[in-house]
Amino acid sequence: MRRSVRRFRREEISDEDLKYVLNVARHSPSGANRQPWRFILVRDLEDKRRIREICEAVEKEFYKHVSDWFLEFTRSRGINWMKPHLEEAPVLIAIAAYRRSPHWKESVWIMVGYLILAAQERGLATLTYTPSDVRWAREFFNLPEGWGLETIIPIGYPAEDPTFPGRYGLDELVFMGRWGVKDTFSK
Amino acid sequence: MRRSVRRFRREEISDEDLKYVLNVARHSPSGANRQPWRFILVRDLEDKRRIREICEAVEKEFYKHVSDWFLEFTRSRGINWMKPHLEEAPVLIAIAAYRRSPHWKESVWIMVGYLILAAQERGLATLTYTPSDVRWAREFFNLPEGWGLETIIPIGYPAEDPTFPGRYGLDELVFMGRWGVKDTFSK
């Protein structure tokens, strides 16, 4: 049932809910159990405004170079360089990743899968926002050597009810043994 | 509660359970909703044997170059180049990824997070196995241009009960606003 949400009510979320979400996330598996992640919670309005400002500048630049189909998709979903959710969501979960751990990227994103499902369980909406440039974050968050900003996840109560964008069916996604081989499984 | 499992009973799993798991997985979010994944189900014993053989050769090579701490970790968990799970698990879910989609890697691994939690719900064990070399898979699975093998997930009933490897606590993982800043949140 979970859908990505881009408009949030400014209403605070409880520490209890936030802890639940982070507790689920921290139990996810990782390469060699290195748990190559830290959660920086951003609740301060001035910090959120500054992050929005930086990210919007980055995205404006990014949108100059995107392909036609991407632009068409984002337009159809009302997505563009503007990132009001970075200011409106009561909490931003900035996730820092340790880029020297084995399979650090795979590990972090499995953990994000856990996190967004746990949020959904608590009635909280999320967006997995990956800034197209994260170099600014090293200084902003005081990240140590080897660590980088991987994603910023705004979390809060939804202020919109987006339509589910639809998914391929199993019959389109599943093959048996080799690419292209279908059988009765998905019927 | 989910732990990675490396020994599986050869007992078959039901199509119903397998469909449940894949149905959860396919509803996960992805960059621009491109759903850059296909599931190749491997149930044939000869195919599984061949995959095990290839992957063990690849891992043998890989283990020649790993760091000391990695070797120590794997030894302590009984992990080495041998991959019996690739033969013993009743089903291998080989996941192919379309490497030209936006944020394809992040998307695939969020989906893996959904998948392994859905398996856990059904009492099924999984391992997220990422072969250290996947070039062989293009020919083996007949993957089209642009697609690559991203992971092989053995799925089935566990034949071992590994100890939970332990995780950092919230007090070690969570900062407020900036790296290193703690507050009362995680107490």
Side-chain angles (χ1 to χ4, degrees), chain A residues 173-178 181 183 185-186, chain B residues 15 18-19 22 38-44 47 90-95 141 153 155:
Chain A
L173 295 173
V174 179
F175 300 129
M176 304 304 292
R178 298 291 183 284
V181 180
D183 87 340
F185 172 81
S186 45
Chain B
D15 277 2
L18 193 51
K19 276 186 199 176
L22 296 172
R38 295 294 184 275
F39 306 99
I40 304 176
L41 306 182
V42 182
R43 287 181 136 151
D44 179 78
D47 279 346
V91 181
L92 306 180
I93 306 176
I95 298 180
F141 291 115
I153 300 187
I155 183 169

Side-chain angles (χ1 to χ4, degrees), chain A residues 2 4 109 112 116 126-130 151-154, chain B residues 29 110:
Chain A
R2 184 218 171 254
S4 295
W109 289 94
V112 170
I116 65 179
T126 51
L127 179 69
T128 57
Y129 170 57
T130 43
T151 178
I152 298 176
I153 300 187
Chain B
I110 288 180

